[in-house]
């Protein structure tokens, strides 16, 4: 006999409910509140873009572009990709919408992003990011503002204590060129000791060897030259201005000279907020300055700096937020009371009172529902109450019960 199989949830996706949903929503609402304090505007951009938007701006050699993108041809034959991150789409929008006129543009967004990765704790195929960017500001003040915003967000979420800001500089173009040459010379000298992956990186993207997780690479990465000896005086001054700004704002940071972003257009500031509370998925928020990105998309040279954080990873670090309590549960007994209750519940909700109606089971089950929902009051409606035009309002914490006229219910519950 043919049986229809129940559909499954796709690997690496999530159905977010209950406690998990409360944590998730708390991250988003806190972000929304804090970004307004910093005068960042909210934008929304498409979930998919032309594949070229990501391929050109993230670079063909990155893991995201070479292995992780959800790319498909649509019915018109165009190659589209589900966004694996926000920055590239924001840069595209900046150009197509003519947002240059608003520069420096301080914006945030949030929503689902997609990467074909091996799912595990804190690593999904459809996950969610919050994102903050400043486009059109070449000043270190923009980097500082974004970092202070990130720090305040973590503090307001109550997770700042276990999370450390690691900071590095990648210098300006001249610095980067000189440092890159020194790195290549160092890695060439240790060719034989490098992992297979790092030999490929050496050809395409040598800086990435510095943040290799392969134990075979670590001693060679750790003994590689730091950027410091190659910093131009301008690049040094920029980094000093960023760290001085953080110090002035009271944001703790530590230098991590091994922290890199592999792409050519990254400049100056690179950072990650990391924790040891999430196993190997320890980076909760990451970003940096990308002054060459918009140029690489064919636009005018435009400075930019930004960060993104994984909503799931932030949510996992949270203490469980309290369930949002409701004001009252209406408990009607009998057909007449149920009919009347429908109107009372509608009126209360229109008056801004959060109220649920218990319409299943006997009186006892209905009262149990009021308790389970954490309501402050139960409003009991029986034939007697209907006749008098009142509800019996019971405070569930104390058990005290008073009669309140229907017209005064909303006021009494506030
Ligand atoms: P990782 O090293 O963990 O793969 P990444 O360098 O790929 O991170 P970014 O591209 O900088 O991460 O994305 C910013 C943030 O998005 C990360 O710091 C992390 O919090 C979150 N993130 C990245 N990939 C995933 C994923 N597959 N599932 C859940 N969150 C993720
Ligand atoms: Mg990754």
């Amino acid at each position: 006999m043919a049986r229809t199989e129940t559909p499954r949830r796709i690997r690496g996706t999530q159905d977010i409910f209950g406690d998990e949903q409360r944590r998730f929503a708390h991250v988003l609402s806190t972000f929304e509140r804090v970004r307004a304090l910093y005068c960042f505007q909210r934008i929304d951009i498409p979930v998919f873009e032309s594949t070229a938007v990501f391929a050109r701006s993230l670079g063909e050699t990155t893991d995201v572009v070479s292995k992780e993108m959800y790319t498909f041809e649509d019915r018109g034959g165009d190659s589209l990709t589900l966004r694996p991150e926000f920055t590239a789409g924001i840069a595209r929008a900046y150009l197509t919408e003519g947002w240059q006129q608003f520069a420096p543009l301080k914006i945030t967004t949030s929503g689902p992003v997609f990467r074909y990765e091996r799912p595990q704790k804190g690593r999904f195929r459809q996950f969610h990011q919050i994102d903050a960017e400043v486009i059109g500001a070449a000043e270190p003040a923009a980097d500082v503002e974004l970092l202070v915003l990130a720090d305040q967000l973590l503090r307001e979420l109550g997770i700042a204590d276990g999370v450390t800001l690691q900071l590095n500089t990648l210098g300006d173009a001249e610095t980067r060129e000189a440092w890159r040459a020194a790195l290549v010379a160092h890695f060439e000298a240790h060719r034989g000791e490098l992992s297979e992956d790092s030999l490929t990186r050496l050809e395409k993207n040598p800086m990435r060897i510095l943040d290799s997780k392969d134990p075979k690479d670590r001693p060679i990465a750790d003994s590689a030259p730091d950027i410091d000896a190659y910093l131009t005086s301008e690049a040094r001054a920029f980094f000093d201005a960023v760290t001085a700004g953080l110090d002035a704002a009271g944001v703790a940071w530590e230098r991590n000279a091994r922290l890199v972003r592999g792409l050519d257009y990254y400049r100056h500031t690179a950072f990650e907020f990391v924790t040891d509370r999430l196993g190997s998925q320890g980076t909760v928020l990451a970003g940096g300055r990308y002054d060459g990105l918009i140029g690489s998309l064919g636009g005018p040279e435009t400075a930019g700096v930004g960060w993104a954080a994984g909503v799931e990873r932030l949510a996992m670090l949270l203490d469980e937020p309290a369930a949002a309590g409701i004001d009252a549960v209406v408990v009607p007994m009998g057909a007449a009371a149920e009919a009347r209750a429908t109107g009372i519940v509608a009126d209360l909700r229109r008056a801004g009172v959060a109220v649920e109606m218990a319409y299943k089971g006997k009186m006892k089950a209905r009262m149990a529902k009021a308790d389970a929902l954490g309501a402050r009051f139960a409003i009991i409606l029986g034939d007697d109450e209907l006749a008098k035009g009142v509800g019996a309002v019971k405070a569930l914490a104390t058990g005290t019960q008073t009669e309140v006229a229907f017209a005064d219910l909303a006021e009494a519950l506030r």
Side-chain angles (χ1 to χ4, degrees):
M1 204 170 57
R3 262 187 63 215
T4 314
E5 269 195 46
T6 319
R8 297 179 197 206
R9 181 167 50 71
I10 299 294
R11 210 164 116 76
T13 65
Q14 314 170 75
D15 299 309
I16 306 168
F17 175 75
D19 291 353
E20 225 180 336
Q21 182 60 245
R22 274 195 290 281
R23 291 169 201 269
F24 196 91
H26 184 63
V27 172
L28 293 176
S29 62
T30 307
F31 179 56
E32 191 53 24
R33 188 161 46 74
V34 175
R35 69 102 186 133
L37 298 176
Y38 284 75
C39 312
F40 278 62
Q41 292 185 67
R42 163 94 198 184
I43 60 159
D44 286 286
I45 55 167
V47 166
F48 53 81
E49 298 273 355
S50 293
T51 300
V53 168
F54 304 111
R56 269 158 60 189
S57 60
L58 301 180
E60 308 281 353
T61 61
T62 55
D63 282 357
V64 169
V65 171
S66 62
K67 300 190 275 210
E68 298 175 358
M69 292 204 306
Y70 277 93
T71 297
F72 61 98
E73 210 173 84
D74 75 1
R75 288 168 194 275
D78 292 323
S79 178
L80 303 180
T81 294
L82 300 183
R83 63 186 180 202
E85 53 108 59
F86 281 107
T87 313
I90 291 174
R92 193 274 309 145
Y94 185 82
L95 291 173
T96 44
E97 306 306 329
W99 288 343
Q100 288 99 320
Q101 60 180 308
F102 306 117
L105 183 62
K106 307 201 310 182
I107 44 180
T108 61
T109 191
S110 64
V113 295
F114 306 83
R115 296 184 190 179
Y116 192 79
E117 299 199 70
R118 196 167 66 77
Q120 52 199 292
K121 185 185 168 206
R123 192 174 291 286
F124 306 93
R125 289 182 173 174
Q126 175 174 340
F127 63 103
H128 299 76
Q129 284 186 338
I130 52 177
D131 184 282
E133 315 276 347
V134 180
I135 307 184
E139 294 77 11
D143 310 49
V144 173
E145 188 176 27
L146 279 163
L147 284 163
V148 182
L149 162 56
D151 175 78
Q152 183 165 347
L153 173 68
L154 299 178
R155 288 188 203 206
E156 298 216 2
L157 289 171
I159 60 180
D161 274 350
V163 180
T164 311
L165 165 56
Q166 299 194 342
L167 187 67
N168 199 15
T169 175
L170 304 175
D172 49 20
E174 188 186 332
T175 303
R176 215 182 138 120
E177 207 44 53
W179 184 42
R180 190 181 197 277
L183 287 174
V184 170
H186 172 80
F187 294 134
E188 287 290 0
H190 294 87
R191 224 170 206 293
E193 300 145 66
L194 288 171
S195 70
E196 201 68 27
D197 276 351
S198 283
L199 286 175
T200 315
R201 292 186 188 113
L202 186 50
E203 299 311 317
K204 294 181 171 165
N205 206 338
M207 276 180 192
R208 293 258 48 152
I209 299 176
L210 288 180
D211 67 359
S212 166
K213 290 184 181 112
D214 193 317
K216 214 178 152 198
D217 295 328
R218 279 323 317 164
I220 304 141
D222 289 335
S223 63
D226 285 350
I227 196 171
D228 296 58
Y230 305 92
L231 286 176
T232 61
S233 55
E234 291 83 1
R236 160 62 62 193
F238 193 99
F239 189 55
D240 288 346
V242 173
T243 58
L246 293 175
D247 293 341
V251 173
W253 58 277
E254 58 186 45
R255 176 78 192 276
N256 176 357
R258 293 288 163 268
L259 199 159
V260 290
R261 317 221 95 206
L263 304 175
D264 285 347
Y265 57 72
Y266 279 111
R267 292 284 179 275
H268 297 295
T269 319
F271 55 86
E272 287 183 355
F273 286 79
V274 296
T275 175
D276 53 16
R277 288 174 55 203
L278 294 176
S280 53
Q281 273 60 252
T283 306
V284 292
L285 186 154
R289 178 165 278 282
Y290 50 81
D291 290 348
L293 169 66
I294 290 182
S296 77
L297 281 175
E301 286 308 319
T302 307
V305 53
W307 56 252
V311 177
E312 288 82 357
R313 291 190 195 174
L314 291 170
M316 285 161 77
L317 292 172
L318 287 184
D319 289 332
E320 190 186 324
I326 64 169
D327 297 313
V329 172
V330 174
V331 181
M333 295 310 305
E338 273 179 20
R340 188 71 179 85
T342 303
I344 290 173
V345 167
D347 285 343
L348 286 173
R349 287 172 172 166
R350 288 178 190 129
V353 181
V355 32
E356 184 67 288
M357 173 144 91
Y359 49 75
K360 274 178 106 66
K362 298 204 161 53
M363 177 76 173
K364 202 173 155 199
R366 295 183 186 203
M367 291 302 288
K369 172 153 185 150
D371 278 328
L373 285 169
R376 290 188 299 129
F377 299 99
I379 305 170
I380 302 155
L381 283 182
D383 292 337
D384 292 351
E385 283 81 15
L386 274 193
K388 288 197 259 178
V390 301
V393 176
K394 182 174 178 184
L396 291 171
T398 59
T400 328
Q401 194 164 314
T402 48
E403 290 189 338
V404 179
F406 291 153
D408 302 331
L409 275 174
E411 200 49 47
L413 296 177
R414 275 214 203 88

